[in-house]
Each structure stands twice: as structure tokens, then as C-alpha cells.
Amino acid sequence: MTRYVMVADLRRCVGCQTCTAACRHINGTPPGVQWRRVLDMEIGVYPDVHRAFVPVGCQHCSDPPCLDVCPSTATRKRDDGIVTIDYDICIGCSYCAVACPYDARYKVSRAEFAYGGEGMANEQAVFDPRRINVATKCTFCVDRIDAGTAKGLTPGVDPEATPACVNSCIAQALHFGDIDDPDSNVSKLVRDNEHFRMHEELGTNPGFYYLWDAAGEEEK
Amino acid sequence: MRGITPYRQNYWDWRAAGNFMYGGTGSGLIVSSLLALAYGEPTLLHVLIGLVFMGTGLGLVWLEIGRPFRALNVFLHPQRSWMTREGFVATVAFGVGAAAMWFGHALLIAGTAALALLFLYCQAHILQASKGIPAWREPTLAPLIIATGLTEGVAASLALVSAAFTMTMVALVVLLTLRAWSWRRYRLASETGMPTAAARVLAAFSMPFLLLGHVLPLALLIADMALGNRYPALTYFAAVLAFGSGWTFKFMVVRYAAQTQGFAIIHRPARGPRGSGGEGVKPGWGS
Ligand code: SF4
Ligand code: SF4
């Protein structure tokens, strides 16, 4: 089996938001819609304060509550673990949005562009009226993955088959790949590092691993 | 802009709240027709008004969805979606309810009441399946939603019965007690299982809800009973309070206690070659 996941190395992320910009550029998401976000989290109390930059977005959960609740079956999970939305079926009820514990879903009621008007060329190129009044979220750049794998490329290794946010990351903090393949880049990263997944206690089985230290160094 | 801490969801507004308000009362009213039926009283109005209320609630949801002309797609996922199940149960309830009104057969009325109860059960589970909103997914909310729907329905039915009046009063006393107990459980759960902002909303709501929505109506009902039903105005006022507090409660839960989950990291990352990780953070929760 294949399960595509994202790995975010929190030690490397500098919060530059290049991934956010890359996602918005390639997907033409309207203002206020960020399928890939980077949170700037403050930890501790003065004088012992730390910051962490935490990339978030759809976690492509293996047990996605958004899929369970969706009355129209617009939300589905593919065999490779990617959770998709069929814009032609979605009724825009937003039930998935309140079911998602990762605040990953959006719904906009009109076409809007970053600088108004008809939008920039990149926005026009990917503008899809089917995305108005329905739920949207990070797709893991599923079209790139499908086009890439059709050419025999490996997602997470070959940029042409890899999500835009991962390609753009200036610090190599974001990684993508098949966690079911023990030899994949992501499997090795997860094996060699201390990691956690967010809100795991909610039973969503998220596909987003956060690295926070080298393996076995918790007591450092 | 969405932040890190839990914020009040804006996906479901007063229209969605209206579905729980109208739907709960409507289904409760239809269930209460069983009391009238037991006393051989007409139940046509219970069923008719109940179905109109349920339909109004669903109509409000229809006004809220982004693609209203695709509304029939709501029926595509009965295997897992409580919203689909609600739609199916409502459709069958409308059919059986229409037949019950036409033929007036006790079995059909009982069948409509059973479907109305199922509808209420679906509504409770619609909220519980919303894992992104801690105040909704809290398991103790489901029985509270059912208890308040029945309470509102029975309170409303007092205006429609005569022979069954005393028994309906007794039912309202029982349901108010049950609702107060369910609220207490929910409130206690909110102290640990919800974002601080949501718990604060519930805490502020608690005392007025208990006093005006339970203690006062119970006192009025018991006073009227003790006085041999000579002052039905007391009972009607109690019913208005029971009904109004139920609607206020649902509006509050759907609109004001509906904080999102927010974000959390279990560990903070190690930074630099000699840096070490540490405790994480869950903004907006606890303290
Ligand atoms: S992160 Fe949210 S939208 Fe994405 S699969 Fe999980 S529940 Fe669904
Ligand atoms: S908004 Fe669309 S994808 Fe989300 S639950 Fe409703 S029908 Fe499903």
C-alpha cells in the first residue's frame, strides 16, 4: 500500500512562509484562503520563552472526520491516503469544516483575487469557478502527484511529482513521501527523529509528522 | 484571519442554529402527541405544527448551504453521515406524518412520533460528529440536545391538550429535571474538555439557564399542581420559560460556545546544534 504523508522538521522551519506563497501561487487561492499556513507559536513564560514555526494545513487524515460527516460523498479518501473534494458534488454545507479539528477547510462565496480586478495571470490560469461556494482545502497537489507518477517519477523525491510547498521550502523543513515504504525519505526521517502528530488523541490518524529532535535525545 | 488559538466558528450561523431550534421543538411536539393519543385527544395539530417546525428548520439549512440546487446530494451518504440520516428520517417522517393526519390512525401517529424521536437523535449526533468544535463533540451534549427538544415539544403541547393537561404537566416536570441534570453533566465536562473561551461562555450561561429555565418553571408548575390547576397561567408561563430557555441554549451552543479546536504542539523543537526540545504548548486551553 501507499500512504502519502508530509513531514515538517520544526527544528528547520524559520517561518518564512515561502510554502504559503508557493501554495497560493500554484493553486490561485483567494485572499484569506491559505491551504498551507505557518503558525508562529510562542512557548513558555518570560524570561524562558521560545518560538516555533509550525506548518499546518489538511493533514490528510487516515480516519478523517470530514469524510464521515460529508452528506454528499464529495469528500473522499484515495487508496494512497490523499483526501479529496469533488467540487461538482459538494453542496457547500460546511459540515466538513466544523468536523475538521485542524481548521483546514475554507469556503468562499465569490471570486476574489489578491489585487482585485480580473486577477493576475497566475490566478487567471488556475481560476476554477467550481471552487466557489463549496469546501476547499490542501490537495497535497494531487494533480502534480498523479502527473508525476504517470511518468514514473517518485513523489517527494522528484520535484515534478512533489507538492509545491515542499519544493519551495528554503530550509528543507518540509518533506513528502510514502510512509508505507520503509525505505522512503519520510519513513527514514520519522524513524531517525523524535516526532509527534497533532491532535492525535482525537483519533484522526493524521498524515502530518512533526520532527522536533534527533531520536533518542529526549533527555539531552 | 484565522489564528493559533481557538476562535468562534463562522461556518454555521443562525440558520444552522435555527435547524436545531425548530427541529428540536418540532420533533418534541410530535413525540408529545403520544400523551394526547393516550387520552384519546386529537393529535392532528401536534403532528402538523411539529412537521412545519421540522420543515422550517430544514429550510433554514437549505438557505445556508453554498449550492442549494444540489441539495438532493445530501442523501448520498447514509452509511456514515448524520446529516444524510437526518434528511432520510425527515423525508419518511413527512410521508408517515401526512398519512397520520389524513387517516388519523393511532399506529401512524405512533410511527410519526418514533420517526420524530429518531430525527432528534440524528440532530444530536450531527453536533457530536463535529470533531472540530470541542463544545459540540462533547458526548454529554447529545443527551442534552434530545432532552431539550423533548422539553420544548412537551411545553408547546400544553397549548393543545385538555384531558391530557395534567399528565403533560407531569411530563414537563420530569423533562425539566432531566434537562437540568444533563446540563450539569455538560457543564462539568466543559471545565476540562473545552477551550477556555468556550468554557467561559457556558459558565456565564449556566446560572441564568438553571434559574430561569428550570428552577422557576418547575416552581410554577408545582405551584399550579398544588393549587389543583386553578391557575393555568402559571403553567403556561412555565412552558414559555422552558421553551424559550431551550432555544436560547441551542443558539448559544451553536453560535457562541462554538470555538474551534485551535492548534497545539506536544514538544517544542530543539534549536541549534546543542539545543534541546521541551514541553509544547496548547494556546487557548486551560488557565
Ligand atoms: S485535516 Fe481536516 S480536512 Fe484534512 S483530512 Fe483531516 S479532518 Fe479532513
Ligand atoms: S461542504 Fe461539501 S465536502 Fe464539506 S461536508 Fe458539505 S458536501 Fe461534503
Side-chain angles (χ1 to χ4, degrees), chain A residues 57-67 75 81 83 85 96-97 99-105 136-138 204 206-207:
Chain A
C58 176
Q59 314 260 321
H60 293 269
C61 307
S62 191
D63 299 312
C66 58
L67 184 151
T75 294
V83 176
I85 302 171
C96 53
C100 170
Y102 303 94
D103 203 14
R105 294 200 168 218
T136 70
K137 66 169 187 72
C138 156
T204 53

Side-chain angles (χ1 to χ4, degrees), chain B residues 33-44 46 104 106 109 160-164:
Chain B
S33 69
L34 292 176
L35 281 173
L37 195 66
Y39 281 81
E41 286 200 56
T43 54
L44 182 94
H46 291 75
I109 293 160
L160 305 175
V161 290
S162 49

Side-chain angles (χ1 to χ4, degrees), chain B residues 62 65-72:
Chain B
W62 184 75
I65 64 176
R67 298 279 187 164
F69 296 114
R70 292 182 192 165
L72 288 181

Side-chain angles (χ1 to χ4, degrees), chain A residues 160-177:
Chain A
E160 223 183 305
T162 301
C165 54
V166 177
N167 287 338
S168 74
C169 180
I170 62 160
Q172 289 193 11
L174 283 178
H175 303 267
F176 185 79

Side-chain angles (χ1 to χ4, degrees), chain A residues 20 25-26 33 39-40 51 72 77 97 104-105 107 109 114 130 133 135 139 147 153 165 167 178-179 181 188 213-214:
Chain A
T20 305
H25 180 85
I26 206 150
V33 174
L39 309 176
D40 183 345
R51 273 170 97 187
S72 71
K77 189 167 66 116
R105 294 200 168 218
K107 188 175 90 176
S109 55
R130 296 178 313 150
N133 273 325
T139 64
L153 301 175
C165 54
N167 287 338
D178 176 11
I179 195 81
D181 171 4
K188 284 183 193 145
D213 208 347

Side-chain angles (χ1 to χ4, degrees), chain A residues 11 13 40 67-72 87 89-93 95 98 103 105-106 132 198-199 202 212 220, chain B residues 2 4 7 11-12 66-67 70 73-74 76-77 80-81 84 126 130-132 262-264 267 270-271 275:
Chain A
R11 296 163 302 183
C13 180
D40 183 345
L67 184 151
D68 286 340
V69 301
C70 176
S72 71
Y87 303 137
I89 293 179
C90 175
I91 61 172
C93 64
Y95 195 6
V98 290
D103 203 14
R105 294 200 168 218
Y106 294 83
I132 307 291
M198 201 184 284
H199 303 329
L202 296 178
W212 62 279
K220 216 164 38 174
Chain B
R2 305 167 183 214
I4 298 168
Y7 68 94
Y11 294 106
W12 284 6
R67 298 279 187 164
R70 292 182 192 165
N73 288 357
V74 81
L76 295 177
H77 200 196
R80 283 153 97 165
S81 174
T84 302
I126 284 177
S130 303
K131 275 199 180 178
F263 294 94
H267 301 281
R271 289 281 195 188

